[in-house]
Amino acid sequence: MPWNRRHLLDLQSLTAGEISAVLDTAAHFKTVGERSIKKVPALRGKTVVNLFVEPSTRTRISFELAALRLSADVIQFSADASSLKKGESLKDTVRNLEALNADFIILRHSASGAPHFLARFAQAHIVNAGDGAHEHPTQGLLDVFTIRQEKGRVAGLNVTILGDILYSRVARSNIWALRKLGAHVTLCGPPTLVPRVFEKLGCRVTWDLESAIRDADVINLLRIQHERQRKTMFPSIGEYAGLFGLNHSRRHLVKPDALIMHPGPINRGVEIDNSFADGSQSVILDQVTNGLAVRMAVLFLINGGRKEEIAA
Ligand code: CP
């Protein structure tokens, strides 16, 4: 189906068809990435600005590489070395970037809704690379892409998201994508971090780890997002790890073919131990690899590209 969106702000507003169009396009770009010449000319002459006002390793580098593989010019905006530090507003910053002919602004920001705010006036395409605890749409897309690649489908699978759900933009984007594609979603963690209000999004909420992981086809671990928590949400890291960490003592509870996922960064020994992070069921680094193809697909589709245009 045609993709007619100027921006990618969230997955809440995307249809299942639009999500599937991104996944299908990403599958094409994944094969492009396996060729000796990995570049295509789709974004030649376009300028992509990576405007990251929060730290990032995977998303920032992945967007940079995606834009380069599409032959765009890429500008890395360093917030600490910018005039944001002198009090310039985000709006004025983006207006100045547009005056320099930025065609795409990839925004990571600690404020939920910052990309939606920019989209109200920006001429450039806005892509949300994570806004506060709200959404991280390309992470949600790369996660469902990875599940579909490994399991052959998303519909009907039992997907458990385990950890700090309340403060997680990754959880919210995963929930929207997984529910729209027909997966059964279970959320688990301490009651303070997994409130029952998430049931309104069509998820099962449980605070019992065994019941959450026993039938799971996919277990997606999330770290504790200390940077967003404004008060103590559980007694100690040690207690959290003991009650909700995926470690070798829980191996017998995990289906032998369950996928182990994590968006990164990993806190080893807290939400996941080495035996799961580096084990044969882990697809954590595949997620990173797939993120490149997904972000190429997002930039390509927003630019008006059609899947049929990608050379076979
Ligand atoms: N998954 C993710 O958003 O990682 P980064 O913060 O390193 O981009």
Side-chain angles (χ1 to χ4, degrees):
M1 77 177 288
W3 221 79
N4 293 319
R5 291 182 183 265
R6 290 199 60 234
H7 312 292
L8 177 64
L9 304 178
D10 53 53
L11 298 188
Q12 180 177 4
S13 61
L14 260 57
T15 64
E18 287 171 317
I19 291 172
S20 295
V22 176
L23 305 188
D24 294 344
T25 308
H28 277 69
F29 279 120
K30 188 144 187 211
T31 64
V32 171
E34 287 156 5
R35 297 178 193 160
S36 56
I37 297 173
K38 298 175 170 55
K39 252 178 136 152
V40 294
L43 259 64
R44 194 159 49 200
K46 303 285 181 178
T47 300
V48 176
V49 179
N50 255 350
L51 205 176
F52 278 57
V53 190
E54 250 197 3
S56 166
T57 296
R58 282 148 288 270
T59 313
R60 186 174 56 80
I61 292 173
S62 180
F63 266 116
E64 179 176 5
L65 197 49
L68 290 170
R69 292 262 172 99
L70 294 168
S71 304
D73 298 318
V74 185
I75 305 295
Q76 294 295 344
F77 179 98
S78 170
D80 280 343
S82 77
S83 291
L84 284 170
K85 284 278 175 197
K86 301 179 205 162
E88 188 164 37
S89 71
L90 183 63
K91 184 173 184 177
D92 282 335
T93 301
V94 167
R95 285 205 156 132
N96 278 272
L97 294 172
E98 287 184 325
L100 293 166
N101 297 120
D103 296 295
F104 289 79
I105 308 277
I106 317 295
L107 179 70
R108 170 166 289 192
H109 203 283
S110 58
S112 296
H116 301 71
F117 166 70
L118 291 190
R120 280 165 41 193
F121 65 85
Q123 301 301 310
H125 301 288
I126 306 296
V127 180
N128 182 358
D131 62 324
H134 176 229
E135 279 221 39
H136 191 346
T138 55
Q139 183 70 46
L141 290 166
L142 76 89
D143 287 344
V144 290
F145 180 91
T146 303
I147 293 170
R148 194 177 81 160
Q149 175 186 266
E150 297 296 323
K151 294 287 189 186
R153 67 193 166 102
V154 176
L157 293 178
N158 294 325
V159 179
T160 289
I161 308 176
L162 173 58
D164 176 357
I165 309 295
L166 184 61
Y167 292 97
S168 173
R169 54 195 176 208
V170 174
R172 284 170 181 77
S173 287
N174 264 266
I175 290 167
W176 289 118
L178 290 164
R179 294 293 300 127
K180 284 169 196 268
L181 298 183
H184 308 292
V185 179
T186 294
L187 307 177
C188 182
T192 47
L193 294 176
V194 191
R196 286 224 175 271
V197 69
F198 280 96
E199 288 172 346
K200 292 189 176 161
L201 302 183
C203 304
R204 179 171 79 103
V205 167
T206 177
W207 305 315
D208 173 37
L209 181 66
E210 181 170 342
S211 125
I213 62 179
R214 200 188 303 112
D215 299 320
D217 301 302
V218 177
I219 303 174
N220 197 351
L221 286 310
L222 301 178
R223 73 184 171 89
I224 304 296
Q225 276 124 130
H226 297 286
E227 71 274 25
R228 283 182 218 121
Q229 295 180 4
R230 292 190 183 86
K231 56 184 179 182
T232 306
M233 305 302 284
F234 49 84
S236 71
I237 289 288
E239 188 159 330
Y240 178 85
L243 288 172
F244 293 103
L246 196 62
N247 59 46
H248 61 88
S249 75
R250 301 195 160 109
R251 172 71 63 189
H252 65 287
L253 298 173
V254 176
K255 284 166 73 169
D257 63 346
L259 300 181
I260 305 300
M261 303 179 69
H262 195 307
I266 292 174
N267 289 139
R268 290 173 184 262
V270 182
E271 71 272 12
I272 188 169
D273 77 356
N274 292 343
S275 76
F276 278 103
D278 306 324
S280 59
Q281 291 171 250
S282 170
V283 291
I284 294 170
L285 293 178
D286 301 278
Q287 290 171 258
V288 179
T289 303
N290 293 336
L292 174 56
V294 164
R295 291 179 175 117
M296 287 176 77
V298 166
L299 296 176
F300 175 80
L301 290 170
I302 287 176
N303 195 49
R306 296 278 175 266
K307 194 177 65 181
E308 301 70 36
E309 295 165 17
I310 308 167

